[in-house]
Amino acid sequence: MSGQTSLHIDGRLVRVKAGTSVAAALRVADSMGVARTSISGQPRAPFCGMGVCQECRVRVDGRRMLACQTVCAEGMQVETTA
Protein backbone atom coordinates (compact mmCIF):
# COMPACT_ATOMS: atom_id res chain seq x y z
CA MET A 1 0.00 0.00 0.00
CA SER A 2 1.44 3.36 -1.04
CA GLY A 3 2.56 5.68 1.74
CA GLN A 4 2.64 2.89 4.30
CA THR A 5 5.26 0.57 5.67
CA SER A 6 4.67 -2.91 7.06
CA LEU A 7 6.87 -4.34 9.77
CA HIS A 8 6.67 -7.02 12.43
CA ILE A 9 6.80 -6.18 16.12
CA ASP A 10 7.32 -9.30 18.22
CA GLY A 11 5.90 -11.29 15.32
CA ARG A 12 2.82 -9.12 14.92
CA LEU A 13 2.25 -7.39 11.57
CA VAL A 14 1.94 -3.62 11.98
CA ARG A 15 1.31 -1.04 9.26
CA VAL A 16 2.37 2.55 9.78
CA LYS A 17 2.81 5.67 7.68
CA ALA A 18 6.07 5.80 5.78
CA GLY A 19 8.69 7.68 7.77
CA THR A 20 7.31 6.62 11.16
CA SER A 21 9.85 5.88 13.89
CA VAL A 22 9.94 2.44 15.49
CA ALA A 23 9.03 4.10 18.82
CA ALA A 24 5.83 5.47 17.26
CA ALA A 25 5.13 2.08 15.66
CA LEU A 26 5.34 0.51 19.12
CA ARG A 27 2.54 2.85 20.23
CA VAL A 28 0.49 2.09 17.11
CA ALA A 29 0.85 -1.59 17.97
CA ASP A 30 -0.23 -0.89 21.57
CA SER A 31 3.10 -2.26 22.62
CA MET A 32 4.89 -0.14 25.16
CA GLY A 33 7.38 -2.88 25.68
CA VAL A 34 10.98 -2.25 24.91
CA ALA A 35 14.02 -4.30 25.81
CA ARG A 36 14.44 -2.62 29.18
CA THR A 37 12.27 -3.09 32.24
CA SER A 38 12.10 -1.31 35.56
CA ILE A 39 13.29 -2.94 38.77
CA SER A 40 9.70 -4.09 39.34
CA GLY A 41 9.64 -5.73 35.91
CA GLN A 42 7.37 -3.15 34.27
CA PRO A 43 8.27 -2.30 30.66
CA ARG A 44 10.02 1.00 30.15
CA ALA A 45 9.12 3.34 27.33
CA PRO A 46 10.85 5.96 25.22
CA PHE A 47 11.39 9.01 27.38
CA CYS A 48 13.41 11.64 25.55
CA GLY A 49 12.60 10.85 21.91
CA MET A 50 16.04 11.98 20.78
CA GLY A 51 18.32 9.07 21.60
CA VAL A 52 19.71 10.32 24.90
CA CYS A 53 17.84 8.31 27.51
CA GLN A 54 18.45 4.89 25.89
CA GLU A 55 15.11 3.66 27.29
CA CYS A 56 13.80 2.56 23.89
CA ARG A 57 16.42 -0.03 22.97
CA VAL A 58 15.00 -2.84 20.88
CA ARG A 59 16.42 -5.42 18.50
CA VAL A 60 15.81 -4.51 14.85
CA ASP A 61 16.68 -7.18 12.30
CA GLY A 62 19.02 -8.70 14.86
CA ARG A 63 20.80 -5.48 15.87
CA ARG A 64 20.30 -3.46 19.06
CA MET A 65 18.99 -0.02 18.13
CA LEU A 66 17.16 2.93 19.61
CA ALA A 67 13.49 2.83 18.59
CA CYS A 68 13.17 6.61 18.70
CA GLN A 69 16.04 7.07 16.26
CA THR A 70 15.11 4.30 13.81
CA VAL A 71 12.74 4.82 10.90
CA CYS A 72 10.51 1.87 10.05
CA ALA A 73 11.42 -0.01 6.87
CA GLU A 74 9.38 -2.49 4.88
CA GLY A 75 9.64 -6.00 6.32
CA MET A 76 11.60 -4.87 9.38
CA GLN A 77 11.60 -7.32 12.30
CA VAL A 78 11.43 -5.63 15.71
CA GLU A 79 11.89 -7.60 18.91
CA THR A 80 11.16 -5.94 22.21
CA THR A 81 12.02 -8.87 24.43
CA ALA A 82 15.44 -9.72 23.05
Side-chain angles (χ1 to χ4, degrees), residues 38-51:
S38 70
I39 195 165
S40 66
Q42 296 295 313
R44 299 179 87 144
F47 180 70
C48 70
M50 58 186 190

Side-chain angles (χ1 to χ4, degrees), residues 7-14 31 76-81:
L7 65 153
H8 289 86
I9 298 177
D10 294 331
R12 179 176 160 204
L13 179 64
V14 177
S31 172
M76 180 180 274
Q77 301 286 327
V78 178
E79 299 172 62
T80 63
T81 57

Side-chain angles (χ1 to χ4, degrees), residues 17-75:
K17 284 185 177 181
T20 299
S21 71
V22 171
L26 289 169
R27 284 297 290 155
V28 168
D30 287 331
S31 172
M32 283 304 296
V34 292
R36 298 184 70 192
T37 58
S38 70
I39 195 165
S40 66
Q42 296 295 313
R44 299 179 87 144
F47 180 70
C48 70
M50 58 186 190
V52 175
C53 74
Q54 307 281 310
E55 293 294 329
C56 62
R57 286 180 278 179
V58 293
R59 190 168 299 276
V60 176
D61 294 334
R63 295 179 40 212
R64 300 277 285 181
M65 302 179 80
L66 297 175
C68 72
Q69 297 295 298
T70 305
V71 175
C72 295
E74 189 67 29

